[in-house]
Amino acid sequence: MSQHPYRTPQAALPAQSLPRRDMREAARGPFTPPDTAALPSQSAQQAPELAQRYELLHRLGVPTTADEDFDDLAQDMATQAGFLYGFVNLFLEEQTFVGLHQPPADSGFVIVGRTMSRDHGWCPEVMARRKALPLHDVHASPRFSGNAVVDAVGIRSYFGAPLIHDSGTVLGTVCVIDPEKRPLAEARRLRDIVINASARVMDHISRAPVR
């Protein structure tokens, strides 16, 4: 692993983990839309949005489990930004990281899984606002500093952008996170990186075989 420009990993630190499910090992069986009415965690507004999202993803032929192409896109985005973690995130029953880049398991950094609660992190804010969210220092704003991800992973910087289909449906987000804050002067460049990554992901999706 190349040295991170903002922090030197400490091998003695124990790896931590968010609640996880290894999506790469998940079976890719026939598509069956979820019974959103039976999901108690879904609000009256979220349930139809989720069903619409699933239907569109299926029609576009987009995988809803870990995908190597999306992993590559997440890695490229994180590398351009100089961040430790990169995600291509679909908002399903859970936030589902179909694309994921993170440090090696023995790096001493936190290792995350392929799913996370829909309420955690800053991607729900990106989904709601339908535009990029640049946080060069999450503690700079009380609105964004209190977050389960901050406590579990120790994140100080976040840059995310939505994945919006031509139909207007928001499928998810792309984002990068890191345990070090960034200078405010870098915010515009980092925001542009995730916006460009979002466009690349949607271009990749548009080339998938339509069913």
Side-chain angles (χ1 to χ4, degrees):
M1 171 181 164
S2 60
Q3 183 173 353
H4 187 255
Y6 292 91
R7 176 183 172 190
T8 301
Q10 302 175 17
L13 291 177
Q16 302 177 30
S17 176
L18 295 177
R20 62 187 297 174
R21 181 170 68 232
D22 190 351
M23 300 301 292
R24 189 173 291 281
E25 300 302 323
R28 296 173 181 256
F31 173 80
T32 303
D35 181 5
T36 54
L39 297 174
S41 62
Q42 305 302 316
S43 68
Q45 179 181 5
Q46 288 176 331
E49 289 179 351
L50 180 59
Q52 182 183 38
R53 194 171 297 132
Y54 263 105
E55 190 279 331
L56 179 58
L57 289 169
H58 174 59
R59 181 161 53 84
L60 294 173
V62 178
T64 55
T65 59
D67 180 82
E68 290 184 2
D69 289 337
F70 289 140
D71 283 348
D72 290 343
L73 287 165
Q75 179 180 12
D76 187 58
M77 174 177 58
T79 300
Q80 287 186 49
F83 275 51
L84 285 179
Y85 304 84
F87 304 85
V88 178
N89 179 16
L90 298 181
F91 263 63
L92 307 176
E93 293 97 327
E94 300 175 284
Q95 296 184 61
T96 303
F97 307 138
V98 293
L100 173 62
H101 171 73
Q102 62 181 326
D106 60 355
S107 66
F109 290 108
V110 172
I111 302 303
V112 301
R114 286 279 181 173
T115 62
M116 185 171 69
S117 167
R118 289 169 58 96
D119 300 325
H120 289 175
W122 300 273
C123 286
E125 177 73 16
V126 174
M127 294 286 291
R129 60 193 276 152
R130 300 170 65 95
K131 62 181 181 179
L133 176 63
L135 299 175
H136 73 285
D137 180 2
V138 300
H139 292 307
S141 169
R143 178 180 179 185
F144 297 114
S145 62
N147 193 294
V149 174
V150 172
D151 298 331
V153 187
I155 297 306
R156 288 296 300 274
S157 53
Y158 167 95
F159 288 78
L163 297 171
I164 305 178
H165 185 254
D166 290 342
S167 64
T169 300
V170 185
L171 299 175
T173 66
V174 295
C175 70
V176 290
I177 60 175
D178 199 88
E180 295 294 333
K181 66 181 180 181
R182 294 296 190 267
L184 181 58
E186 291 190 15
R188 181 182 295 273
R189 179 183 70 85
L190 295 170
R191 182 203 62 184
D192 289 346
I193 287 173
V194 296
I195 290 175
N196 289 338
S198 172
R200 290 178 60 197
V201 170
M202 292 310 302
D203 181 63
H204 178 78
I205 288 174
S206 70
R207 297 198 306 269
V210 177
R211 301 178 183 181

